[in-house]
Amino acid sequence: MRINLLLFALLPPFLGSSPAAEPVREMSTDRPDTTESGYTVPAGMFQVEMSFFDYSRDADAVQGRSSETWLYGQANLKAGLTRSTDLQVILNSHAVAGESERGDETATSGFGDITVRLKKNLFGNDSGPAALALMPYITIPTHSNVSDEAWAGGLIMPLSITLSDRISLGLMAEVDIVHDSETNGHDLEWLHSATLGVGLTEKLGMYLELVGIAGQDTAYIGIFDAGVTFAVTDSLIFDAGVRIGMNRPAPDFGVFSGVSFRF
């Protein structure tokens, strides 16, 4: 309930006034990397960022335990509310989680939890070499077999910087209130990330990213990921990438692919 009240308390200053018309800016996406964009969807436009699949695997040889997770059709549905604000709803349409421990295997599947986010650009949306945004969010449990079965939330702060015509830098800090399954309470978790994007050609791009996650009762997690993007048009981009755990607490490996488009 506290998270609900916090979000609604933040809404008025984020929404501002809606302009009658807005020039269409270049499309910027929050996927495929972890680092979110500092830019918002133009007012009156809609944007869909969808994963075809997202696979991750983690194994512990000492404990004889391994886990695999598949996400299919995860979609971030965005709507431009004002010149500097957009609303996002993230749906985990189908998730399959499997675990194996010394020969015993279990698998669960279902509709994942729903996340609602509100992104407010603070500066740089339409001009300048950098854009900064604030994005509070809440996660609503669906109580399915793959649900965390608890409300969660947090605040994301992405910064996008244009270094040259072909090179960009993204930085992000995030604080989350996450469910602790052992105590059935909530803990604080912190995430930081940095991504370097390079335009290889007019349509083809790539990125390299480092992500770090730390929690109150969990070990630090380090992840490296890399991927490519292909812009069919200015409003249609396909992507694919890979994630690699950099230390023992991190998931070992992941691979994903998706598409983004707006109208």
Side-chain angles (χ1 to χ4, degrees):
M1 180 59 72
R2 259 185 221 171
I3 297 173
N4 280 325
L5 294 175
L6 175 62
L7 181 66
F8 285 116
L10 289 171
L11 280 175
F14 268 68
L15 289 176
S17 58
S18 177
E22 175 180 307
V24 178
R25 69 180 67 97
E26 181 180 353
M27 184 170 79
S28 179
T29 65
D30 288 327
R31 65 165 299 117
D33 53 1
T34 299
T35 306
E36 313 290 24
S37 168
Y39 300 93
T40 61
V41 177
M45 296 195 73
F46 299 91
Q47 190 162 306
V48 178
E49 301 177 17
M50 185 177 71
S51 172
F52 296 132
F53 67 88
D54 191 322
Y55 167 79
S56 64
R57 175 179 172 80
D58 191 25
D60 187 335
V62 176
Q63 299 291 331
R65 182 186 308 161
S66 66
S67 63
E68 293 183 328
T69 303
W70 286 90
L71 294 176
Y72 299 101
Q74 182 189 57
N76 186 356
L77 310 178
K78 301 182 176 183
L81 301 182
T82 74
R83 191 179 188 86
S84 60
T85 309
D86 66 37
L87 178 67
Q88 308 181 11
V89 179
I90 301 176
L91 305 175
N92 291 311
S93 57
H94 187 68
V96 179
E99 293 187 359
S100 175
E101 185 170 0
R102 303 193 183 282
D104 295 329
E105 296 185 2
T106 60
T108 55
S109 63
F111 191 98
D113 294 337
I114 298 171
T115 299
V116 180
R117 314 195 303 190
L118 187 73
K119 183 190 290 187
K120 171 67 175 181
N121 173 270
L122 300 182
F123 64 79
N125 229 4
D126 296 296
S127 63
L132 175 67
L134 294 179
M135 184 160 54
Y137 76 91
I138 56 171
T139 297
I140 306 166
T142 58
H143 299 288
S144 69
N145 291 332
V146 294
S147 170
D148 282 340
E149 299 188 355
W151 290 74
L155 179 65
I156 303 168
M157 295 158 283
L159 174 65
S160 301
I161 305 171
T162 300
L163 301 178
S164 71
D165 290 342
R166 291 189 177 273
I167 301 177
S168 62
L169 175 67
L171 302 172
M172 190 178 78
E174 178 178 343
V175 58
D176 305 306
I177 303 172
V178 298
H179 179 232
D180 187 332
S181 58
E182 294 184 0
T183 64
N184 203 29
H186 287 84
D187 292 335
L188 285 177
E189 188 172 88
W190 298 270
L191 182 151
H192 60 91
S193 66
T195 182
L196 186 68
V198 180
L200 302 176
T201 68
E202 186 176 342
K203 294 182 176 295
L204 184 65
M206 66 168 290
Y207 74 90
L208 305 172
E209 182 179 50
L210 293 174
V211 180
I213 305 171
Q216 286 180 279
D217 301 318
T218 57
Y220 183 82
I221 294 173
I223 301 171
F224 168 79
D225 58 86
V228 295
T229 60
F230 182 75
V232 179
T233 68
D234 291 340
S235 298
L236 176 61
I237 302 174
F238 289 91
D239 63 68
V242 61
R243 290 185 299 268
I244 300 173
M246 298 179 63
N247 60 352
R248 187 176 296 276
D252 295 333
F253 174 77
V255 63
F256 53 88
S257 178
V259 63
S260 301
F261 58 91
R262 74 176 182 182
F263 51 95

